[in-house]
Coordinates of all heavy atoms in Angstrom, one line a residue:
Y94 N -14.1 -7.0 10.3 CA -14.5 -7.4 9.0 C -14.9 -8.8 8.8 O -15.4 -9.2 7.7 CB -13.2 -7.1 8.0 CG -12.8 -5.6 8.0 CD1 -11.7 -5.2 8.7 CD2 -13.6 -4.7 7.3 CE1 -11.3 -3.8 8.6 CE2 -13.3 -3.3 7.3 CZ -12.1 -3.0 8.0 OH -11.8 -1.6 8.0
G95 N -14.6 -9.7 9.9 CA -15.1 -11.0 9.7 C -14.1 -12.0 8.9 O -14.5 -13.1 8.6
V96 N -13.0 -11.4 8.5 CA -12.0 -12.2 7.9 C -10.6 -11.9 8.4 O -10.5 -10.8 9.1 CB -12.0 -11.9 6.3 CG1 -13.3 -12.4 5.6 CG2 -11.7 -10.5 6.0
E97 N -9.6 -12.8 8.4 CA -8.3 -12.6 8.8 C -7.5 -11.7 7.9 O -7.6 -11.9 6.6 CB -7.5 -13.9 9.1 CG -8.1 -14.6 10.2 CD -7.3 -16.0 10.4 OE1 -6.0 -15.9 10.1 OE2 -7.8 -16.9 11.0
A98 N -6.6 -10.7 8.4 CA -5.7 -10.1 7.5 C -4.6 -11.1 7.2 O -4.4 -12.1 7.8 CB -5.2 -8.9 8.3
D99 N -4.0 -10.9 6.1 CA -2.8 -11.7 5.7 C -1.7 -11.6 6.6 O -0.9 -12.5 6.7 CB -2.5 -11.5 4.2 CG -3.6 -11.9 3.2 OD1 -4.0 -12.9 3.1 OD2 -4.3 -11.0 2.6
Q100 N -1.5 -10.3 7.1 CA -0.3 -10.2 8.0 C -0.7 -9.0 9.0 O -1.2 -8.0 8.5 CB 0.9 -9.8 7.1 CG 2.2 -9.6 8.0 CD 3.4 -9.3 7.0 OE1 3.3 -9.4 5.8 NE2 4.5 -9.0 7.7
D101 N -0.3 -9.3 10.2 CA -0.4 -8.4 11.4 C 1.0 -7.8 11.5 O 1.9 -8.6 11.9 CB -1.1 -9.1 12.5 CG -1.1 -8.2 13.7 OD1 -0.5 -7.1 13.8 OD2 -1.9 -8.6 14.6
I102 N 1.2 -6.5 11.4 CA 2.5 -5.9 11.5 C 2.7 -5.1 12.7 O 3.7 -4.5 13.0 CB 3.0 -5.2 10.2 CG1 2.1 -4.0 9.9 CG2 3.1 -6.2 9.1 CD1 2.7 -3.1 8.8
G103 N 1.6 -5.0 13.6 CA 1.7 -4.3 14.8 C 1.4 -2.8 14.6 O 1.4 -2.2 13.5
T104 N 1.0 -2.2 15.7 CA 0.7 -0.8 15.8 C 1.7 0.1 15.6 O 3.0 -0.2 15.9 CB -0.1 -0.4 17.0 OG1 0.7 -0.7 18.2 CG2 -1.5 -1.2 17.1
G105 N 1.5 1.4 15.2 CA 2.6 2.3 15.1 C 3.4 2.2 13.8 O 4.3 3.1 13.7
G106 N 3.1 1.4 12.9 CA 3.8 1.2 11.7 C 3.1 1.6 10.5 O 2.1 2.4 10.4
A107 N 3.6 1.0 9.4 CA 3.1 1.4 8.0 C 1.6 1.2 7.7 O 1.0 1.9 7.0 CB 3.9 0.7 7.0
A108 N 1.0 0.2 8.4 CA -0.4 -0.1 8.2 C -1.3 0.6 9.2 O -2.5 0.4 9.3 CB -0.7 -1.6 8.2
D109 N -0.7 1.5 10.1 CA -1.4 2.1 11.2 C -1.5 3.7 11.0 O -1.5 4.3 12.0 CB -0.7 1.8 12.5 CG -1.6 2.0 13.7 OD1 -2.9 2.0 13.6 OD2 -1.1 2.1 14.8
S110 N -1.8 4.1 9.8 CA -1.8 5.4 9.5 C -3.2 6.0 9.9 O -4.3 5.4 9.6 CB -1.7 5.7 7.9 OG -1.8 7.2 7.7
N111 N -3.1 7.2 10.4 CA -4.4 8.0 10.8 C -4.9 8.8 9.5 O -5.7 9.7 9.8 CB -4.2 8.7 12.1 CG -3.2 9.9 11.9 OD1 -2.5 10.0 10.9 ND2 -3.1 10.8 12.8
G112 N -4.3 8.5 8.5 CA -4.8 9.2 7.3 C -4.1 10.5 6.7 O -4.4 11.0 5.7
D113 N -3.0 10.8 7.5 CA -2.3 12.0 7.0 C -0.8 11.7 6.7 O 0.1 12.5 6.7 CB -2.3 13.2 8.0 CG -1.8 12.9 9.4 OD1 -1.3 11.8 9.6 OD2 -1.9 13.7 10.3
D114 N -0.5 10.3 6.8 CA 0.8 9.8 6.6 C 1.1 9.5 5.0 O 0.1 9.4 4.3 CB 1.1 8.6 7.4 CG 0.9 9.0 8.8 OD1 1.3 10.0 9.3 OD2 0.2 8.2 9.5
N115 N 2.3 9.1 4.7 CA 2.7 8.8 3.4 C 3.3 7.4 3.5 O 4.0 7.1 4.4 CB 3.8 9.7 2.9 CG 3.4 11.1 3.0 OD1 2.4 11.7 2.2 ND2 3.9 11.9 3.9
I116 N 2.9 6.5 2.5 CA 3.1 5.1 2.6 C 3.6 4.7 1.2 O 3.2 4.8 0.1 CB 1.9 4.3 3.0 CG1 1.3 4.8 4.3 CG2 2.1 2.8 3.1 CD1 0.1 4.3 4.8
A117 N 4.7 3.8 1.4 CA 5.4 3.3 0.2 C 5.4 1.6 0.2 O 5.7 1.1 1.3 CB 6.8 3.7 -0.1
L118 N 5.2 1.2 -0.9 CA 5.5 -0.3 -1.1 C 6.9 -0.4 -1.6 O 7.2 0.2 -2.7 CB 4.5 -1.0 -2.0 CG 4.8 -2.4 -2.4 CD1 4.7 -3.3 -1.2 CD2 3.8 -2.9 -3.5
V119 N 7.8 -1.2 -1.0 CA 9.2 -1.2 -1.4 C 9.6 -2.5 -1.9 O 9.0 -3.5 -1.3 CB 10.2 -0.9 -0.2 CG1 11.6 -0.9 -0.6 CG2 9.8 0.5 0.4
D120 N 10.2 -2.6 -3.1 CA 10.5 -3.8 -3.7 C 11.8 -4.5 -3.1 O 12.4 -3.9 -2.2 CB 10.6 -3.8 -5.3 CG 11.8 -3.1 -5.7 OD1 12.7 -2.9 -4.9 OD2 11.8 -2.7 -6.8
P121 N 12.1 -5.7 -3.5 CA 13.3 -6.5 -2.9 C 14.6 -5.7 -3.1 O 15.6 -6.1 -2.4 CB 13.3 -7.8 -3.6 CG 11.8 -8.1 -3.8 CD 11.3 -6.7 -4.3
D122 N 14.8 -4.9 -4.1 CA 15.9 -4.1 -4.4 C 16.0 -2.9 -3.6 O 17.0 -2.0 -3.8 CB 16.1 -3.9 -5.8 CG 16.2 -5.1 -6.7 OD1 17.0 -6.0 -6.1 OD2 15.8 -5.1 -7.8
G123 N 14.9 -2.5 -2.8 CA 14.8 -1.3 -2.0 C 14.4 -0.1 -2.8 O 14.3 1.0 -2.2
N124 N 13.7 -0.4 -3.9 CA 13.2 0.8 -4.7 C 11.7 1.0 -4.3 O 11.1 -0.1 -3.9 CB 13.3 0.3 -6.2 CG 14.7 0.2 -6.6 OD1 15.5 1.1 -6.4 ND2 14.9 -0.9 -7.3
I125 N 11.2 2.1 -4.5 CA 9.8 2.3 -4.2 C 9.0 1.8 -5.5 O 9.2 2.3 -6.5 CB 9.5 3.9 -4.0 CG1 10.1 4.3 -2.6 CG2 8.0 4.1 -3.9 CD1 10.0 5.7 -2.2
A126 N 8.2 0.7 -5.3 CA 7.4 0.2 -6.4 C 6.0 1.0 -6.4 O 5.6 1.0 -7.5 CB 7.2 -1.3 -6.0
D127 N 5.6 1.5 -5.3 CA 4.3 2.3 -5.3 C 4.3 3.2 -4.2 O 4.8 3.0 -3.0 CB 3.2 1.3 -5.2 CG 1.9 2.0 -5.8 OD1 1.8 3.1 -6.3 OD2 0.8 1.4 -5.5
M128 N 3.8 4.4 -4.3 CA 3.9 5.5 -3.3 C 2.6 6.1 -3.3 O 1.8 6.4 -4.2 CB 4.9 6.5 -3.8 CG 5.1 7.7 -2.8 SD 6.1 7.1 -1.4 CE 5.4 8.0 -0.2
Y129 N 2.1 6.3 -1.9 CA 1.0 7.0 -1.6 C 1.4 8.3 -0.8 O 1.9 8.1 0.3 CB -0.1 6.2 -0.9 CG -1.3 7.0 -0.7 CD1 -2.2 7.1 -1.6 CD2 -1.5 7.8 0.5 CE1 -3.5 7.8 -1.5 CE2 -2.6 8.6 0.7 CZ -3.7 8.6 -0.4 OH -4.8 9.3 -0.1
G130 N 1.0 9.5 -1.3 CA 1.4 10.7 -0.6 C 2.7 11.3 -1.0 O 3.3 10.8 -2.0
R131 N 3.2 12.3 -0.3 CA 4.3 13.0 -0.6 C 5.2 13.1 0.6 O 4.9 13.8 1.6 CB 4.1 14.4 -1.2 CG 3.4 14.4 -2.5 CD 3.1 15.8 -2.9 NE 2.2 15.7 -4.0 CZ 0.7 15.7 -3.8 NH1 0.2 15.9 -2.7 NH2 -0.1 15.7 -4.8
P132 N 6.3 12.3 0.7 CA 7.2 12.3 1.8 C 7.6 13.7 2.2 O 7.9 14.5 1.3 CB 8.4 11.5 1.5 CG 7.7 10.5 0.5 CD 6.7 11.2 -0.3
G133 N 7.6 14.1 3.5 CA 7.8 15.5 3.9 C 6.7 16.4 4.0 O 6.8 17.5 4.5
E134 N 5.5 16.0 3.5 CA 4.3 16.7 3.5 C 3.3 16.1 4.4 O 2.8 14.9 4.1 CB 3.7 17.0 2.1 CG 2.4 17.7 2.0 CD 1.9 17.8 0.6 OE1 2.3 18.8 -0.1 OE2 1.1 17.0 0.1
D135 N 2.8 16.8 5.5 CA 1.7 16.3 6.2 C 0.5 16.2 5.4 O 0.1 17.2 4.7 CB 1.5 17.1 7.5 CG 0.3 16.6 8.4 OD1 -0.7 16.4 8.1 OD2 0.8 16.6 9.6
G136 N -0.3 15.1 5.4 CA -1.4 14.9 4.6 C -2.6 15.8 4.9 O -3.6 15.8 4.1
S137 N -2.7 16.2 6.1 CA -4.0 16.9 6.6 C -4.2 18.1 5.7 O -3.4 19.0 5.3 CB -3.7 17.5 7.9 OG -3.4 16.5 8.8
G138 N -5.5 18.1 5.1 CA -5.9 19.1 4.2 C -5.4 19.1 2.9 O -5.5 20.0 2.2
T139 N -4.8 18.0 2.4 CA -4.1 17.8 1.2 C -5.0 16.9 0.3 O -6.0 16.3 0.7 CB -2.8 17.4 1.2 OG1 -2.8 16.0 1.6 CG2 -1.8 18.2 2.2
D140 N -4.5 16.7 -1.0 CA -5.1 15.8 -1.9 C -4.8 14.3 -1.6 O -5.2 13.5 -2.3 CB -4.9 16.2 -3.3 CG -3.4 16.1 -3.6 OD1 -2.6 15.8 -2.7 OD2 -3.0 16.4 -4.7

Side-chain angles (χ1 to χ4, degrees):
Y94 300 106
V96 296
E97 288 183 27
D99 295 292
Q100 186 174 347
D101 178 344
I102 62 172
T104 58
D109 198 20
S110 176
N111 66 351
D113 62 359
D114 303 316
N115 307 293
I116 299 168
L118 174 64
V119 180
D120 73 15
D122 293 324
N124 300 310
I125 294 177
D127 201 10
M128 183 73 212
Y129 184 85
R131 294 179 196 88
E134 178 179 275
D135 185 304
S137 299
T139 68
D140 59 3

